[in-house]
Amino acid sequence: MISILEFLLKENEFEQKQKKTGTFIPDYGEMEQENPSLTNESFFTNKDIYISKHNRYAVYPEHSHQFLELNYVLHGSCKQVINGQEYLLKKGDILLMDIGSRHKIERLNSQDIVVNILFKNSELSLDTLEKMQGNNSILYHILLNSHSGLSNQENFLILQAKTIKKTAPILQAMIEEYFFPRAFSQDILNHYLGILLLELARSLPSAQKQLSTNKDEPFYQVLELIDKDYCTINLTEAAKKLKFNKNYLSNLVKQKSNKTFTELVNQKRLMTAKLLIESTDLTIENISQTVGFSNKTYFYKKFYQYYAQTPAQIRKTR
């Protein structure tokens, strides 16, 4: 059996024509339009994941798309113009492009293999991955919703091979399952997708570093302490550990977050409880105690106030 690289190095019909003429041959109907925008309808007939190889030997015109697109440089290199700026991607690099980003792929040579991975889920975006990265961090959650300026970030992201070493084997396996399908390949692909998204989320530049460059800032220290010791921490103990005056600490938290210290601790506990409810079979009572709630009734009350659902309702939807 040939390797996936040998398989993808073989020229398809479009590549043969482009190699002969040097001009782009539209591979999708939308690419024949002015200012083309690729839609879901072209890719997701009876499948949730679409994987393809970028055709070589001609410039792929600028276009946008209605879904998150992942470009993976399996071999060689690739020059792209993204939102008007040129970038060079090397072997093993990943380009993630959000809905609405525009890009043009410069001419790929014979040894340049770029693989597209597209996802049917229209809710999936770079914002989704960032929230996955920080979904259980009170530090991330609070600072992300402060006036950090992150809402104006670029709608694409380049991840270099050296920072995503654990992602490469997953992508390789997905590509092989797609092009060399066997029994259960679609099910396996769907499972790989979940692992891939979590690994990509973990590989994103640290949101915490983007949001605060000074770890000596007192409020940053408070949030880190809550993330670490949320099960047992209280205001008095936090003030002692951080060597702050108790009243100063209380006022600081209120000023920075518009919440009390106890409210922040409860928020962290509830976030952790929800994660455990969704990902484990622990009993609700066990979970409430694990995250630091000694009173079951109080836990249920706070949980419903925060999520507008009961723990049992959350568990049913997993």
Side-chain angles (χ1 to χ4, degrees):
M1 181 178 177
I2 65 172
S3 69
I4 190 63
L5 179 58
E6 291 174 312
F7 175 79
L8 294 176
L9 282 170
K10 290 185 176 181
E11 295 175 359
N12 60 35
E13 181 182 353
F14 288 97
E15 290 176 321
Q16 291 171 356
K17 291 179 180 178
Q18 290 183 167
K19 186 177 183 180
K20 185 176 181 179
T21 64
T23 58
F24 170 69
I25 307 296
D27 45 1
Y28 304 104
E30 293 96 333
M31 292 307 299
E32 298 178 357
Q33 303 170 2
E34 187 176 355
N35 298 319
S37 177
L38 297 176
T39 62
N40 290 325
E41 287 73 20
S42 296
F43 303 98
F44 301 113
T45 303
N46 301 321
K47 61 182 69 175
D48 297 325
I49 303 169
Y50 182 88
I51 301 179
S52 66
K53 174 184 70 173
H54 256 306
N55 295 324
R56 295 164 289 178
Y57 308 121
V59 173
Y60 202 94
E62 184 182 59
H63 62 283
S64 62
H65 34 79
Q66 297 179 358
F67 39 77
L68 181 77
E69 179 175 346
L70 185 154
N71 287 175
Y72 177 57
V73 184
L74 181 66
H75 198 260
S77 62
C78 170
K79 284 185 180 180
Q80 296 205 31
V81 178
I82 312 166
N83 298 338
Q85 181 71 38
E86 185 174 288
Y87 298 87
L88 174 64
L89 281 75
K90 299 180 181 179
K91 180 180 177 180
D93 290 350
I94 287 176
L95 167 64
L96 287 170
M97 290 169 291
D98 230 339
I99 296 169
S101 60
R102 301 192 63 83
H103 70 127
K104 176 178 75 171
I105 299 99
E106 299 291 358
R107 183 183 188 275
L108 298 175
N109 295 317
S110 62
Q111 296 299 305
D112 300 327
I113 301 298
V114 178
V115 177
N116 303 322
I117 301 181
L118 314 179
F119 314 109
K120 185 177 182 179
N121 184 357
S122 60
E123 301 299 320
L124 188 58
S125 65
L126 289 180
D127 183 58
T128 307
L129 295 176
E130 287 183 339
K131 287 178 179 176
M132 289 172 66
Q133 180 198 52
N135 71 342
N136 199 39
S137 167
I138 193 71
L139 172 63
Y140 177 90
H141 186 85
I142 296 297
L143 294 182
L144 182 62
N145 288 287
S146 68
H147 300 293
S148 61
L150 273 193
S151 58
N152 296 319
Q153 64 187 341
E154 293 278 13
N155 56 357
F156 70 94
L157 186 66
I158 295 174
L159 300 172
Q160 295 182 330
K162 61 183 179 182
T163 68
I164 52 172
K165 292 179 180 179
K166 291 187 177 180
T167 306
I170 302 169
L171 288 166
Q172 180 83 18
M174 290 181 71
I175 295 167
E176 290 178 358
E177 285 289 345
Y178 190 89
F179 287 108
F180 302 148
R182 294 170 288 167
F184 312 117
S185 280
Q186 278 300 313
D187 292 328
I188 290 172
L189 273 172
N190 286 330
H191 285 294
Y192 273 137
L193 175 58
I195 298 171
L196 175 65
L197 295 179
L198 290 171
E199 198 60 58
L200 286 174
R202 189 158 60 178
S203 301
L204 292 182
S206 172
Q208 296 175 10
K209 291 179 182 177
Q210 295 178 41
L211 292 165
S212 177
T213 57
N214 184 6
K215 289 194 175 184
D216 293 327
E217 202 276 319
F219 186 56
Y220 193 107
Q221 295 179 45
V222 175
L223 296 179
E224 279 195 318
L225 182 61
I226 292 174
D227 266 339
K228 179 183 176 184
D229 296 335
Y230 63 92
C231 288
T232 58
I233 198 71
N234 57 45
L235 181 62
T236 301
E237 187 176 349
K240 184 177 180 180
K241 284 190 173 184
L242 297 173
K243 299 180 180 179
F244 294 151
N245 176 276
K246 182 178 175 180
N247 290 333
Y248 165 79
L249 180 57
S250 177
N251 292 333
L252 173 70
V253 169
K254 188 68 175 178
Q255 178 186 5
K256 292 287 189 178
S257 68
N258 202 31
K259 296 182 179 182
T260 67
F261 183 86
T262 299
E263 285 173 336
L264 284 187
V265 172
N266 280 343
Q267 182 177 340
K268 167 64 181 181
R269 290 174 176 175
L270 292 170
M271 291 163 61
T272 305
K274 182 173 182 287
L275 185 64
L276 291 172
I277 290 167
E278 293 173 330
S279 60
T280 76
D281 292 322
L282 293 171
T283 66
I284 304 300
E285 184 174 0
N286 194 336
I287 289 172
S288 69
Q289 293 174 352
T290 298
V291 301
F293 286 102
S294 57
N295 186 306
K296 185 172 67 172
T297 302
Y298 182 71
F299 166 71
Y300 275 93
K301 177 183 176 181
K302 290 299 178 182
F303 193 95
Y304 189 81
Q305 287 177 351
Y306 194 74
Y307 290 111
Q309 289 181 289
T310 67
Q313 287 172 328
I314 293 287
R315 176 154 280 177
K316 284 181 181 179
T317 61
R318 68 176 183 173

